[in-house]
Amino acid sequence: MKRYETVTPKLTRSLSRVNIVGVAIALIVSSAVLLIYEAISLRASLTDVARLQAAMVSENLSAALMFGDRQAAADVLRHLRSLPYVESAAVFDKKGARFVLYAHEGISELEQNEGTPEAAQHSKRLSFSDVFVSAPIELNRQRLGTVVLVATTAQLKTDFARYAVFLLGASASALLISRFIMTRMKLRLNDAERRLEYLALTDPLTGLSNRRAFFEELDCRVRLSPRTRSGLTLVLIDVDDFKTVNDTLGHVAGDELLQSVAATLRGAVRSTDIVSRIGGDEFAVLVYDPAQKHQYHSTAENIIRALARPLELHGRSVRVTVSVGFSRYPGDAGDAAGLVSSADVALYAAKSSGKNTAVAFRPAMIAETQRRANLERDLRVAIENDELGIAYQPQFDCITGNLIGAEALVRWLHPVEGPISPAEFVPIAESSDLIVTLGMWVMRRACRDALEWNRAAGASVSLSVNVSARQLRQLDFGESVFQTLGETGLHPKLLVLELTESLLMANVDLATEVMRKFRAAGVRLSIDDFGTGYSSLSYLQHFPINELKIDRSFVCALPASGQPIVTAIISMAHSFGLTVVAEGVENPSQLEWLVAADCDVVQGYLTGQPTTTAGILALIAAQHEQLGAAAATDDSHAGARHGTGVAHD
């Protein structure tokens, strides 16, 4: 998808010329500064040498000046002929009259007479004119006169010119090298920009356009004229259970799956449709065909049908399903953001309806989404304000009929809407961070209640609490459970954590590590809804579990059907030394069959409906009364067993 143009050659050349001009100006300024500095340095050096020479001459002229011996003074000055930079040297007595003069051959009379004490008083730092210096002639701290030395700057000019030529050559070379380097850098930068542009607009894993590019293209299409933009459809595709594949087969297999899905999507749509990967396992297709108003239906069907074929990943055949939601423009939305929101609502409806299906947006879905958002907000407040409740479903021993445990079931009485079903608000919590907070709230509250009924009745009735996948993935989950046990005082052996098969298989290593910590502390572990997930013998050997809960879907079919499956589950569990719990027992025939099949524990509406803490206490009290009555009977009846003596509520 071409959405951006690279910088035009004309603009590139203009920018290149601007860069070269900038370098040239910088070189000119720096060269000027260096030339000024060099001129000042050369003149300062010549001045220092001239002053030193004048001081040496003044030391040798004191006697000649004191005795008025001009010839001796001239002899002292004559040695200056060996110094080419000395143009003239004049000696003045203390009255300022010139006593003797030395002048280099070839200089004019004007130049011979320019060396005066007055001229030596004016020093210049930046000039190519002659240098004038003076030195006092003293004897025993008495001033006898002054010597004035004039140094020519001819050599200074030569050195300065040589330096200037060198600097000019160096600057020109630097400019040429800079232009060469900048040209090469420009080429590399252009390549880098093109590469970055590609990466900015393309998903590197699948080669499809990414989220940014797709939504900018969508926004561009929506901004077109109404005649052109009609017939635009946004299709959102989400890979079902991608995390399970990613966690069980590894990230490499997950990447291969996404690449396969991308390739399949390209083949399932037309060449004019735009396919993008906009999230981890979420794809989008932009369908545009004003001539065929129902093209989007066939596109969605083609996508589901194409992805229904099994894929080979790491030598294993994996069946991939997707959930699809789509919305039309301008029928379902008035802008790009609204179109995306509508398609996202339809996608959520597709995933909620059992996955592997395509759902078109309907306005009624907005109300459903708003209700979901409102419930999530109210649920958060309910958790914070401790406004939820817990019901406990009793669990009975199949042989003795004794109450041995209770499963905690969260309840919510909404202040406006009344009772909200767990089937509605628990999935809302699971799709957000609320499930962690909700799970720990249930854990703390249930542990306090369990401690209350066990202390009050002197019983050992265990507590079963469900654990969500998000909770198990929390690094501090184990510490939170142990902290709750410590704060409430409930003994770890009375706590049973119920985990689902899919939850455990999502991350086997993490699950095993956490489960071993719980087992070591005495907490018991149960596999909930057994038979609906992986049901693998290998993980029964691998995980340190205590019991299996047969899913209610198998129990409800008893005794008419499903007997071989339930019998196999009970036999297999007992061979591993595991307790078997049957949930969803609702009629006497189911109970009788389970007792005969050697099931260990049952729970359901037949044996005991969900009740309060007071209800559990009442069951314990009733059980104690029955035990007391049984102890008072004749010894011949004390040992009798009642195979179906399960307590009824």
Side-chain angles (χ1 to χ4, degrees), residues 457-490:
S460 296
V461 179
S462 63
L463 168 70
S464 296
V465 180
N466 289 280
V467 176
S468 70
R470 283 179 177 261
Q471 284 180 279
L472 192 64
R473 287 197 294 267
Q474 296 291 316
L475 297 179
D476 60 346
F477 174 64
E479 296 178 2
S480 299
V481 173
F482 295 140
Q483 181 179 356
T484 300
L485 291 173
E487 292 174 353
T488 59
L490 183 68

Side-chain angles (χ1 to χ4, degrees), residues 410-473:
V410 64
R411 295 291 184 260
W412 183 19
L413 181 62
H414 194 277
V416 177
E417 299 190 20
I420 305 295
S421 171
E424 183 176 9
F425 72 80
V426 170
I428 293 176
E430 287 180 343
S431 63
S432 66
D433 60 341
L434 279 178
I435 192 62
V436 176
T437 307
L438 176 62
M440 290 312 302
W441 182 91
V442 172
M443 182 76 67
R444 286 190 293 269
R445 175 73 174 272
C447 286
R448 288 198 298 266
D449 291 346
L451 180 67
E452 177 183 349
W453 73 54
N454 279 289
R455 279 184 174 177
S460 296
V461 179
S462 63
L463 168 70
S464 296
V465 180
N466 289 280
V467 176
S468 70
R470 283 179 177 261
Q471 284 180 279
L472 192 64
R473 287 197 294 267

Side-chain angles (χ1 to χ4, degrees), residues 536-553:
S536 170
L537 289 175
S538 62
Y539 86 71
L540 290 180
Q541 292 178 317
H542 187 70
F543 292 137
I545 57 179
N546 300 91
E547 69 178 39
L548 297 181
K549 293 189 73 173
I550 304 175
D551 186 69
R552 65 179 63 249
S553 62

Side-chain angles (χ1 to χ4, degrees), residues 216-227:
E216 288 187 352
E217 177 68 19
L218 173 63
D219 187 67
C220 180
R221 294 287 183 93
V222 169
R223 291 176 183 274
L224 296 175
S225 63
R227 184 180 63 84

Side-chain angles (χ1 to χ4, degrees), residues 541-621:
Q541 292 178 317
H542 187 70
F543 292 137
I545 57 179
N546 300 91
E547 69 178 39
L548 297 181
K549 293 189 73 173
I550 304 175
D551 186 69
R552 65 179 63 249
S553 62
F554 296 106
V555 176
C556 69
L558 296 173
S561 63
Q563 296 171 335
I565 296 178
V566 177
T567 301
I569 293 175
I570 295 175
S571 176
M572 177 181 60
H574 287 168
S575 67
F576 283 107
L578 304 177
T579 301
V580 180
V581 180
E583 58 180 348
V585 179
E586 297 182 354
N587 60 68
S589 61
Q590 293 173 346
L591 177 60
E592 291 175 2
W593 190 92
L594 289 169
V595 171
D598 206 18
C599 182
D600 300 302
V601 181
V602 292
Q603 72 177 77
Y605 272 51
L606 175 67
T607 57
Q609 297 185 16
T611 184
T612 62
T613 303
I616 297 295
L617 286 169
L619 287 174
I620 296 175

